[in-house]
C-alpha cells in the first residue's frame, strides 16, 4: 500500500515487523527485499509521492571548514535523490575495503567478496546488466576507444555501467502499492526514537500539518541518507551508536580535480557512450599494487576532448618519430580525476541550536578537506603523467599543481558518506558489520553513511548491495524464529 | 679560433641540409627513413631527415635548443638511440623516449612533461631549419558531419524549446556515423554543454540563456563546432516566432479570431478634407494586425465600410460623400461569423 499521511487518515499507531525510515534507494530496496520475503514492513518517507511536499526547508544547515552546499542535490520525495541521479553504477574495488597506509581509522570490516553476491543483486535493482565489471569482457581493446593496457601496468582500464537511470520511486511504485506486506506512508517525518535501554521501542513521526503517529516495530532501519541518518541520531537525548563519538564524524564526498591536459591518440572515449547494447563510461584507474605500495588514493580518471593547446599542438603527437601512432591523428584532452577521500573524524556533522519546522535541530557540517588531501591526489596525478610517457600513451601538461585553497569548494559528487561508519569493533564506528548500531539491539542503518571508506565509485550500487544484504540478514532472524 | 656550440649546430645543420635535400628526394616515403637500421652508415643523415619533417615542434625545439648543453645534437641523439638496441630508427626514437621517462631524464616545457630524447630531436629539427608549427587555426567553416536530422527548430516567443525540468532547453542532432567527442553544439555563438553518444549529439541550453533566446523573436543560428580542429558547420537556425496577444472584445471576452492590433490610422483628420486619400478620392483606414478572419469588416461610427483583409493588414475605404462632423468617431472591427466586435479607438475630426 502507498498512502499519504497528509491526505489519508493517519492512525495513532502504526505497526509492522520492520520499520524502514526513508524512501530513497536504500529504503525502497530494504523494504521490498523484506516484503518479498513475507515480512511485514512499514516504509516511512518524509516527502511526497511525486514531488517535494512542504518540508524541504528541513535540509537547510550551515557549513564551516571548506564550504559545502548542504542542500545541494537533495530531493525529499519517494525515490529520494534517485529522482535526478545520473545513473553511474560501479562497485567499490576490492582494495577499497582494505586498510591502507595513511588512514587514521580502519577500513571496512567486510571484504569485497562478502558483498559480491549483493552487488550482483544490486545490478538488478539499478537495471544494469549483471556481471563482473571486467573491461576485458566488453571487447573494447583494439578499437582505439581506450588505451591498450595490459595487466600489471600502473594504471588500468575500467568502466562504469549506466543505469537508465532508475528512478526508484517511480520504477518500484507499483510493487510498493500492490504489496500486502508493505505499507508505505509518505509525507511523514520521523523526529524521535523512543528508547528503552538498548532497544528502540517506537518512533514518533509527524506531518507538516501537525498530525502525529507512533510507529512500533521489532526492528527499525534508518535509510535517510548520509546527512539525515546522523542528524536524527544526534537529535536524540541518548545518541545511539555514539560510544566512540563517531556519529556524524568522518563525513566524506568524492572530490574532483582537473589537473591537466593529455595529448594522445584521437578517438579515445573515456566518457559515456553506447557499446554493444549497453551504456558505459570507460575510465582509467590506478592499479591496486600502486595504491598498496605508494599510499596513494584510489581515483577514476576520465578524458574529455578539448581545444588544442598552443605550445604542443595535436600535430606534435601525430609525428610517428615521437608517438608511434601509426599514421593516426592526435587530440588534446582535459584530464579529470575523481578522488577517494580519507575518513577523518575532524570532518564532522553536528547540530546547531536552530530548529526546523519539525522541531529537529539543524545540521552543521565542518568539512575537513585539507590541502594534504589534495596533495595525495596530486601525487597520483604525478604518477599518471610519468606513466603515460613511459608507456608511450601520450604527453601530460599540468594545469594545476596545487590543491584548492581553503575556502574554495572543489567539484563534488554530493555523495554524503561515512557519518555512521561500519566497523569491526565499537571503538572505530557506529554500526557492526551487519549494519546494526553497536549499542542498540534493534536499530539498523541502510545508507551511504555506513561507508567506512569511499573509494571513487559512485555510491548507489553499494548502497543497494548493502540494503539487500541487510534485508537478508533481518529476514534470517525471522526464519530462525518458530 | 674556437667554434661555439651554437655555431657548430648551425654549421653542422647547414652542411647536413645539403645532404637532406638529396636524401628526402631519394626517400620519398618517410616510412623508409624511420625504418632505417641503426647500423646504417648514413644514420645521421636519416635522423636529420626525420627531424626536418617533424610538425608542431617549433616552439618546443626553440626552447630545447636554447637550453641544450649538447655540442652535437645528432651525435647525442644517436648515442641514446644505440642504447635502445631497437631494430630501426623510428622504433629507437620512441623507445629512447620511454626509457627517458623511466629513468627520470625528463624535460618540462610549458608545463608539458617530455623526454630528453624528444627535446633533442625537436632542437635538431629547429637547428636544421625544420620543425614547422602552424599558428593557431582560425575558425574554418567546413562540413565535417552529415546531419540526418535535428530539433527542435521552432518555438513560440516565451516558450523554452524542448524544456527540461530545470528550465533548460535542449537540442538533439543526429549525424551519420560516430561524432567526435570534441564536437560542441553552438547556439547563437554560444557553445553549449554537449553530449556525444555515437551518432546522437545532444546539448543543453542553460535556463538563463534559454530565456534570453525565447524572449526575443528571431532566428538563432545553430552550429556544430569541432573544438579540436576549429571546424564549424551550420546546422540551421532555431526560429522563435512572435506571439501576438489576442484582442480584448468590447464585452471583456478575449477574441478567438482577432489578434491585438499593432497599429491603426489615421487617427486624426480635418473636417471636409479626405484623410489618407486614395486615387479615387476616397479616404481610407488601415489596421496592422497579425491575425483576423476573412469576413472582418471595419466600421466607422457604426457604418460598415468596404473592407479588404490581407496578410497582416486590414484596409477600408470611406466613400467621398461621407463627411464626418467634428468630434470623435468610433472605429470598430467585427466578424459576423465569430460573433465578435471590438473598438479600436476614435477617429478625431477637427473643425475645418
Amino acid at each position: 500500500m502507498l498512502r499519504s499521511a497528509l491526505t489519508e487518515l493517519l492512525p495513532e499507531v502504526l505497526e509492522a515487523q520492520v520499520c524502514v525510515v526513508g524512501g530513497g534507494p536504500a529504503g525502497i530496496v530494504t523494504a521490498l527485499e523484506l516484503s518479498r520475503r513475507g515480512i511485514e514492513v512499514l516504509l516511512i518517507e518524509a516527502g511526497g509521492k511525486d514531488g517535494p511536499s512542504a518540508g524541504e526547508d528541513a535540509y537547510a544547515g550551515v557549513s564551516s571548514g571548506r564550504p559545502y552546499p548542504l542542500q545541494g542535490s537533495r530531493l525529499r520525495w519517494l525515490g529520494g535523490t534517485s529522482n535526478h541521479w545520473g545513473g553511474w553504477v560501479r562497485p567499490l574495488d576490492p582494495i577499497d575495503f582494505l586498510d591502507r597506509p595513511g588512514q587514521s581509522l580502519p577500513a571496512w570490516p567486510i571484504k569485497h567478496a562478502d558483498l559480491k553476491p549483493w552487488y550482483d543483486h544490486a545490478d538488478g535493482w539499478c537495471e544494469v546488466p549483471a556481471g563482473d565489471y571486467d573491461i576485458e569482457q566488453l571487447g573494447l581493446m583494439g578499437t582505439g576507444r581506450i588505451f591498450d593496457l595490459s595487466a600489471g601496468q600502473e594504471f588500468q582500464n575500467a568502466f562504469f555501467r549506466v543505469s537508465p537511470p532508475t528512478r526508484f520511486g517511480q520504477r518500484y511504485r507499483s510493487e510498493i502499492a500492490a504489496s500486502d506486506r508493505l505499507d508505505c506512508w509518505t509525507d511523514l517525518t520521523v523526529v524521535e526514537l523512543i528508547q528503552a535501554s538498548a532497544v528502540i521501542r517506537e518512533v514518533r513521526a509527524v506531518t507538516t500539518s501537525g498530525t502525529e503517529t507512533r510507529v512500533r516495530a521489532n526492528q527499525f532501519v534508518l535509510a535517510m541518507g548520509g546527512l539525515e541518518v546522523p542528524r536524527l541520531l544526534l537529535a536524540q537525548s541518548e545518541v545511539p551508536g555514539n560510544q566512540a563519538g563517531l556519529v556524524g564524524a568522518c563525513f566524506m564526498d568524492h572530490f574532483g580535480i582537473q589537473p591537466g591536459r593529455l595529448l594522445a591518440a584521437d578517438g579515445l572515449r573515456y566518457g559515456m557512450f553506447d557499446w554493444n547494447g549497453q551504456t558505459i563510461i570507460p575510465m582509467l584507474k590506478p592499479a591496486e599494487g600502486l595504491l598498496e605500495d605508494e599510499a596513494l588514493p584510489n581515483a577514476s580518471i576520465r578524458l574529455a576532448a578539448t581545444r588544442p593547446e598552443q605550445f604542443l599542438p595535436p600535430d606534435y603527437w601525430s609525428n610517428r618519430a615521437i608517438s608511434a601512432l601509426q599514421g593516426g591523428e592526435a587530440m588534446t584532452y582535459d584530464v579529470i580525476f575523481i578522488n577517494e577521500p580519507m575518513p577523518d573524524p575532524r570532518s564532522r556533522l553536528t547540530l546547531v541550536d536552530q530548529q526546523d519546522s519539525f522541531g529537529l535541530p539543524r545540521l552543521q557540517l565542518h568539512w575537513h578537506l585539507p590541502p594534504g588531501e589534495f596533495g595525495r591526489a596530486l601525487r597520483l596525478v604525478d604518477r599518471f603523467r610519468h606513466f603515460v610517457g613511459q608507456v608511450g600513451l601520450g604527453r601530460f601538461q599540468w594545469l594545476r599543481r596545487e590543491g584548492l585553497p581553503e575556502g574554495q569548494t572543489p567539484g563534488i559528487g554530493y555523495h554524503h558518506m561515512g557519518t555512521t561508519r561500519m566497523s569491526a569493533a565499537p571503538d572505530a564506528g557506529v554500526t557492526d558489520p551487519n549494519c546494526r548500531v553497536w549499542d542498540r539491539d534493534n536499530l539498523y542503518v541502510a545508507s551511504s553513511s555506513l561507508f567506512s571508506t569511499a573509494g571513487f565509485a559512485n555510491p548507489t550500487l553499494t548502497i543497494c548491495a548493502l540494503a539487500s544484504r541487510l534485508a537478508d540478514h533481518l529476514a534470517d532472524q525471522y526464519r530462525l524464529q518458530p | 679560433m674556437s667554434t661555439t656550440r651554437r655555431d657548430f649546430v648551425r654549421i653542422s645543420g647547414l652542411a647536413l641540409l645539403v645532404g637532406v635535400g638529396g636524401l628526402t628526394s631519394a626517400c620519398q616515403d618517410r616510412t623508409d627513413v624511420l625504418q632505417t637500421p641503426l647500423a646504417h652508415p648514413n644514420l645521421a643523415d636519416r635522423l636529420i631527415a626525420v627531424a626536418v619533417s617533424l610538425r608542431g615542434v617549433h616552439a618546443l625545439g626553440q626552447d630545447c635548443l636554447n637550453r641544450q648543453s649538447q655540442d652535437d645534437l645528432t651525435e647525442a641523439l644517436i648515442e641514446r638511440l644505440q642504447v635502445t638496441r631497437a631494430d630501426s630508427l623510428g622504433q629507437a626514437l620512441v623507445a629512447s623516449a620511454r626509457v627517458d621517462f623511466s629513468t627520470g631524464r625528463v624535460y618540462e616545457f610549458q608545463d608539458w612533461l617530455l623526454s630528453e630524447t624528444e627535446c633533442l630531436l625537436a632542437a635538431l629539427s629547429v637547428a636544421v631549419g625544420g620543425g614547422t608549427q602552424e599558428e593557431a587555426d582560425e575558425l574554418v567553416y567546413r562540413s565535417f558531419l552529415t546531419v540526418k536530422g535535428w530539433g527542435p527548430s521552432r518555438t513560440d516567443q516565451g516558450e523554452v524549446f524542448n524544456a527540461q525540468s530545470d528550465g533548460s532547453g535542449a537540442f538533439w542532432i543526429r549525424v551519420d556515423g560516430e561524432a567526435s567527442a570534441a564536437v560542441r553544439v553552438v547556439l547563437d555563438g554560444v557553445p553549449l554543454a554537449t553530449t556525444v553518444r555515437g551518432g546522437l549529439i545532444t546539448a543543453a541550453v542553460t535556463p538563463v540563456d534559454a530565456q534570453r533566446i525565447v524572449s526575443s523573436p528571431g532566428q538563432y543560428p545553430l552550429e556544430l563546432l569541432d573544438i579540436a580542429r576549429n571546424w564549424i558547420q551550420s546546422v540551421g537556425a532555431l526560429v522563435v516566432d512572435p506571439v501576438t496577444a489576442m484582442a480584448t472584445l468590447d464585452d471583456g471576452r478575449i477574441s478567438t479570431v482577432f489578434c491585438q492590433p499593432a497599429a491603426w490610422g489615421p487617427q486624426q483628420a480635418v473636417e471636409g478634407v479626405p484623410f489618407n486619400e486614395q486615387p479615387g478620392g476616397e479616404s481610407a483606414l488601415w489596421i496592422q494586425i497579425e491575425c483576423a478572419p476573412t469576413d472582418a469588416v471595419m466600421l466607422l461610427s457604426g457604418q460598415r465600410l468596404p473592407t479588404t483583409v490581407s496578410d497582416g493588414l486590414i484596409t477600408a475605404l470611406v466613400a467621398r460623400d461621407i463627411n464626418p462632423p467634428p468630434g470623435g468617431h468610433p472605429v470598430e472591427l467585427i466578424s459576423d461569423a465569430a460573433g465578435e466586435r471590438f473598438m479600436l479607438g476614435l477617429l478625431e475630426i477637427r473643425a475645418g
Side-chain angles (χ1 to χ4, degrees):
Chain A
M1 280 180 289
L2 176 59
R3 294 183 277 191
S4 165
L6 287 176
T7 58
E8 307 223 10
L9 185 63
L10 182 63
E12 287 184 7
V13 175
L14 294 167
E15 288 189 83
Q17 289 174 297
V18 179
C19 171
V20 179
V21 183
I28 288 175
V29 169
T30 308
L32 285 176
E33 291 271 11
L34 286 166
S35 64
R36 288 175 185 177
R37 289 167 168 82
I39 293 165
E40 290 174 2
V41 184
L42 269 166
L43 176 60
I44 309 292
E45 164 56 38
K49 290 179 189 173
D50 299 303
S53 56
E56 288 212 306
D57 151 79
Y59 291 159
V62 293
S63 79
S64 57
R66 196 173 287 277
Y68 191 96
L70 262 181
Q71 286 177 277
S73 184
R74 301 170 68 188
L75 297 179
R76 192 180 177 91
W77 77 85
L78 192 63
T81 315
S82 76
N83 285 301
H84 68 179
W85 74 310
W88 293 34
V89 164
R90 178 179 171 80
L92 295 174
D93 290 339
I95 195 169
D96 295 330
F97 290 83
L98 307 178
D99 289 335
R100 301 220 308 276
Q103 289 175 348
S104 61
L105 286 166
W108 293 75
I110 58 175
K111 301 286 179 284
H112 184 276
D114 299 324
L115 210 49
K116 176 72 172 66
W118 305 107
Y119 271 132
D120 294 344
H121 212 59
D123 282 337
W125 283 106
C126 296
E127 301 180 276
V128 296
D132 290 338
Y133 285 68
D134 176 6
I135 201 160
E136 296 279 342
Q137 296 177 4
L138 291 180
L140 273 170
M141 290 292 197
T143 64
R145 288 173 167 83
I146 60 174
F147 291 124
D148 287 333
L149 296 172
S150 55
Q153 290 187 289
E154 284 190 343
F155 289 84
Q156 303 284 307
N157 287 306
F159 72 106
F160 289 92
R161 290 199 166 97
V162 183
S163 168
T166 306
R167 310 290 181 212
F168 282 72
Q170 296 168 26
R171 171 66 182 78
Y172 300 110
R173 168 172 300 205
S174 57
E175 185 179 350
I176 292 170
S179 173
D180 59 357
R181 291 280 163 181
L182 174 55
D183 192 7
C184 176
W185 286 86
T186 61
D187 304 296
L188 195 55
T189 301
V190 170
V191 293
E192 187 181 1
L193 308 177
I194 314 291
Q195 306 178 66
S197 185
V199 172
I200 308 300
R201 283 198 296 115
E202 58 186 31
V203 301
R204 186 167 65 87
V206 299
T207 68
T208 51
S209 61
T211 12
E212 183 174 313
T213 189
R214 302 290 175 119
V215 183
R216 292 176 187 151
N218 300 329
Q219 286 93 14
F220 294 87
V221 179
L222 303 183
M224 305 96 77
L227 298 179
E228 292 303 307
V229 169
R231 182 184 178 200
L232 182 64
L233 293 176
L234 288 169
Q236 308 310 307
S237 53
E238 287 182 42
V239 179
N242 207 26
Q243 66 286 339
L246 289 174
V247 173
C250 301
F251 173 89
M252 298 177 283
D253 192 353
H254 298 122
F255 62 99
I257 52 175
Q258 190 175 312
R261 297 190 186 98
L262 185 70
L263 191 55
D266 190 7
L268 293 169
R269 287 300 177 96
Y270 287 99
M272 187 185 300
F273 66 96
D274 296 326
W275 180 251
N276 290 341
Q278 60 176 311
T279 305
I280 56 169
I281 303 170
M283 47 127 182
L284 295 152
K285 69 184 186 83
E288 295 204 344
L290 183 61
L291 302 185
E292 286 166 349
D293 298 344
E294 308 272 341
L296 293 168
N298 208 346
S300 73
I301 305 160
R302 284 181 295 115
L303 308 178
T306 190
R307 294 179 193 282
E309 185 270 353
Q310 60 174 323
F311 292 107
L312 219 59
D315 270 357
Y316 179 78
W317 195 244
S318 58
N319 286 309
R320 291 175 55 245
I322 295 170
S323 75
L325 285 181
Q326 295 304 307
E329 292 191 27
M331 173 81 81
T332 309
Y333 299 90
D334 284 328
V335 182
I336 302 136
F337 275 63
I338 305 296
N339 303 289
E340 173 190 26
M342 292 279 275
D344 188 326
R346 289 172 291 182
S347 197
R348 174 182 284 271
L349 290 162
T350 52
L351 301 180
V352 294
D353 289 339
Q354 195 189 3
Q355 295 183 340
D356 68 14
S357 55
F358 301 101
L360 277 173
R362 294 196 184 283
L363 277 177
Q364 168 161 347
L365 168 61
H366 182 83
W367 190 24
H368 183 73
L369 188 69
E373 195 88 345
F374 286 95
R376 295 171 70 236
L378 290 166
R379 280 203 294 129
L380 183 67
V381 176
D382 192 44
R383 288 303 291 254
F384 180 72
R385 76 178 186 133
H386 281 89
F387 170 78
V388 294
Q390 283 165 17
V391 297
L393 299 179
R395 296 292 181 262
F396 184 95
Q397 181 192 34
W398 279 115
L399 291 178
R400 171 181 283 277
R401 295 178 194 245
E402 306 294 331
L404 214 57
E406 296 277 12
Q408 290 187 22
T409 306
I412 53 175
Y414 296 101
H415 305 149
H416 313 130
M417 301 172 286
T419 48
T420 62
R421 68 194 317 268
M422 184 190 281
S423 59
D427 62 353
V430 175
T431 80
D432 71 10
N434 288 318
C435 309
R436 183 179 61 83
V437 174
W438 273 110
D439 57 2
R440 295 295 184 273
D441 293 341
N442 64 339
L443 182 61
Y444 294 82
V445 174
S447 161
S448 52
S449 64
L450 289 167
F451 287 26
S452 314
T453 59
F456 65 79
N458 297 43
T460 304
L461 192 75
T462 302
I463 292 170
C464 292
L466 287 167
S468 295
R469 178 174 170 271
L470 169 60
D472 191 64
H473 171 72
L474 291 173
D476 262 352
Q477 299 182 25
Y478 288 92
R479 280 196 287 269
L480 291 173
Q481 286 176 1
Chain B
M1 180 178 160
S2 65
T3 305
T4 65
R5 179 184 65 81
R6 198 73 64 217
D7 289 339
F8 181 88
V9 170
R10 193 178 300 117
I11 292 164
S12 173
L14 285 171
L16 286 163
L17 266 178
V18 176
V20 169
L23 182 70
T24 47
S25 61
C27 302
Q28 291 297 322
D29 183 354
R30 195 156 51 87
T31 303
D32 291 341
V33 185
L34 288 171
Q35 289 178 351
T36 303
L38 291 187
H40 195 282
N42 294 328
L43 184 63
D45 292 350
R46 299 287 178 104
L47 183 58
I48 288 168
V50 168
V52 165
S53 68
L54 293 179
R55 296 177 296 151
V57 299
H58 189 76
L60 169 64
Q62 201 65 57
D63 190 73
C64 289
L65 195 55
N66 291 341
R67 291 204 258 166
Q68 199 47 248
S69 59
Q70 299 292 335
D71 279 343
D72 190 321
L73 296 169
T74 317
E75 189 179 304
L77 264 169
I78 288 175
E79 199 172 295
R80 284 166 181 262
L81 301 183
Q82 298 293 0
V83 175
T84 67
R85 301 184 181 184
D87 292 336
S88 66
L89 177 56
Q91 288 175 12
L93 283 165
V94 172
S96 177
R98 292 184 187 185
V99 169
D100 284 351
F101 276 104
S102 299
T103 54
R105 293 194 299 191
V106 291
Y107 171 83
E108 287 217 18
F109 164 67
Q110 297 292 339
D111 294 320
W112 288 98
L113 184 66
L114 306 168
S115 68
E116 287 183 1
T117 296
E118 63 198 293
C119 175
L120 283 169
L121 187 61
L124 178 62
S125 178
V126 170
V128 297
T132 62
Q133 184 143 2
E134 293 176 5
E135 291 297 314
D137 289 342
E138 295 290 319
L139 208 54
V140 175
Y141 276 87
R142 60 178 291 178
S143 180
F144 58 93
L145 286 170
T146 303
V147 176
K148 294 162 68 179
W150 65 280
S153 58
R154 207 166 199 104
T155 190
D156 285 333
Q157 184 179 3
E159 287 289 318
V160 172
F161 39 94
N162 201 1
Q164 308 297 298
S165 57
D166 64 354
S168 59
F171 286 102
W172 60 269
I173 301 171
R174 193 168 284 286
V175 300
D176 252 348
E178 194 170 356
S180 160
V183 168
R184 302 286 182 272
V185 176
V186 178
L187 176 66
D188 196 31
V190 178
L192 308 179
T194 303
T195 303
V196 179
R197 286 173 70 171
L200 178 63
I201 303 166
T202 54
V205 186
T206 64
V208 171
D209 282 340
Q211 285 298 334
R212 176 182 62 80
I213 295 283
V214 301
S215 64
S216 303
Q219 296 200 4
Y220 296 88
L222 190 72
E223 295 162 305
L224 287 170
L225 170 69
D226 185 322
I227 59 169
R229 299 173 179 83
N230 264 1
W231 294 341
I232 192 163
Q233 82 175 70
S234 174
V235 175
L238 172 72
V239 178
V240 179
D241 291 316
V243 173
T244 308
M246 302 307 283
T248 302
L249 304 178
D250 294 349
D251 60 8
R253 289 181 297 137
I254 301 299
S255 172
T256 60
V257 291
F258 290 112
C259 291
Q260 182 64 41
W264 68 277
Q267 297 186 21
Q268 291 182 338
V270 177
E271 181 187 11
V273 179
F275 49 88
N276 190 16
E277 188 174 5
Q278 302 300 298
E282 304 96 334
S283 298
L285 290 162
W286 55 266
I287 308 170
Q288 279 182 4
I289 189 166
E290 278 296 312
C291 60
T294 52
D295 74 327
V297 174
M298 211 184 298
L299 280 68
L300 179 62
S301 296
Q303 187 174 351
R304 288 178 180 249
L305 304 175
T307 303
T308 302
V309 179
S310 56
D311 191 19
L313 185 69
I314 298 175
T315 55
L317 291 175
V318 181
R320 278 179 298 180
D321 56 353
I322 294 177
N323 284 308
H329 298 268
V331 177
E332 297 169 282
L333 260 179
I334 64 168
S335 165
D336 293 328
E340 293 186 0
R341 177 175 188 142
F342 74 101
M343 192 168 89
L344 289 100
L346 296 174
L347 170 62
E348 294 290 342
I349 302 292
R350 287 184 283 119

